[in-house]
Amino acid sequence: SLATPLAQRAAIFRGLRQRHRLDRRASPAKARMGNGASAALDDKTSVAHGLGAAIRDLTRPTEEQLKVAWEELDPEHRGVLGREDVLAVFDRVLELQIRAAQEAAYRRKLEAAKQQAVLEVDHQNRRRELLAKRPEALGREELDMVTALSMGTKTAPVMAGMIAGYMDIPVTCLTALKEDRELLDARVAVLFLKVGTAAADEQPVVTRQAFTANYIELFDSAPQSLSTMRAPVAEAQRSGGECAVQ
């Protein structure tokens, strides 16, 4: 937040510098070649792992969103819906999720921009005060702090961009899900085949509990679903293969 103490931010930067020095000592040859960061990556920091965790943690629907979407199609609270209505519930809950994700992304990006501005002001003030002193009046901690702030202000736009990109993940994921009508239709079809019930001469229906469990499982299983990508990626890295960008 904007009230974060300057000393705390400086401590974070110092910790990052110390970790970088340890990484360089552990893999000096690779670090000299600029590959230290790549060498530290494994399946726990892969794109597939990150996306799986983000889908599970950032896009999972809330109980309120599920409640609102279902009850709009089931105003009499029967607790069951037919195929077309269930598909409509999928659409409605996705609309609610996308709207909430867009609002959260906007707030987070605005906060990041404010923090970046505060960091720049802190840096300018501290730098001016430090350079106004005689060398013998300077302390190591103060010098390290201002140096860290100098690096931080230059890197802040990069970090702000990373935050912005991260907050766009749920919006992009949910929009992709909503726009893929074939997959949504297939999900509804499988749902009714697995748990649909119908009395004689009646259309099959699905309960609210079955719909909710099916939908939540989609997000909770994302890390496991995407984990199948790690093996071929790791194999490509071991063999030195590279992906060609067309």
Side-chain angles (χ1 to χ4, degrees), residues 113-132:
K114 291 179 179 179
Q115 292 177 3
Q116 183 179 342
V118 170
L119 189 65
E120 176 63 31
V121 172
D122 286 344
H123 167 242
Q124 292 176 356
N125 291 338
R126 294 281 182 169
R127 178 184 173 87
R128 183 170 54 252
E129 294 172 1
L130 182 142
L131 295 180

Side-chain angles (χ1 to χ4, degrees), residues 63-179:
E63 291 184 5
E64 181 63 20
Q65 289 166 346
L66 291 166
K67 178 177 182 294
V68 169
W70 181 275
E71 291 183 355
E72 285 185 5
L73 276 296
D74 183 24
E76 297 178 359
H77 303 285
R78 296 173 57 242
V80 295
L81 290 174
R83 184 184 299 264
E84 293 302 319
D85 285 338
V86 167
L87 183 59
V89 174
F90 272 117
D91 279 330
R92 181 58 179 141
V93 72
L94 280 166
E95 289 175 0
L96 295 172
Q97 289 177 268
I98 291 170
R99 183 187 306 165
Q102 289 171 333
E103 293 173 354
Y106 174 78
R107 291 193 301 269
R108 191 66 184 89
K109 292 174 184 179
L110 183 61
E111 180 184 353
K114 291 179 179 179
Q115 292 177 3
Q116 183 179 342
V118 170
L119 189 65
E120 176 63 31
V121 172
D122 286 344
H123 167 242
Q124 292 176 356
N125 291 338
R126 294 281 182 169
R127 178 184 173 87
R128 183 170 54 252
E129 294 172 1
L130 182 142
L131 295 180
K133 296 180 180 179
R134 298 174 60 85
E136 56 269 20
L138 296 176
R140 171 66 182 276
E141 183 176 350
E142 182 183 15
L143 184 59
D144 284 351
M145 180 184 298
V146 175
T147 302
L149 281 171
S150 178
M151 292 186 291
T153 53
K154 296 298 184 183
T155 313
V158 179
M159 179 62 72
M162 291 172 61
I163 293 173
Y166 186 73
M167 294 307 299
D168 283 337
I169 289 176
V171 177
T172 305
C173 287
L174 294 168
T175 301
L177 176 58
K178 189 175 190 303
E179 292 178 349

Side-chain angles (χ1 to χ4, degrees), residues 194-246:
K194 296 293 185 181
V195 298
T197 59
D201 300 326
E202 292 185 3
Q203 293 295 323
V205 294
V206 161
T207 67
R208 177 174 176 174
Q209 291 79 5
F211 164 81
T212 299
N214 177 275
Y215 191 54
I216 290 179
E217 178 61 22
L218 166 64
F219 300 96
D220 288 347
S221 65
Q224 179 62 32
S225 299
L226 289 175
S227 67
T228 57
M229 294 179 57
R230 299 181 206 167
V233 170
E235 179 61 30
Q237 291 174 339
R238 285 194 296 270
S239 61
E242 295 183 356
C243 296
V245 179
Q246 301 297 329

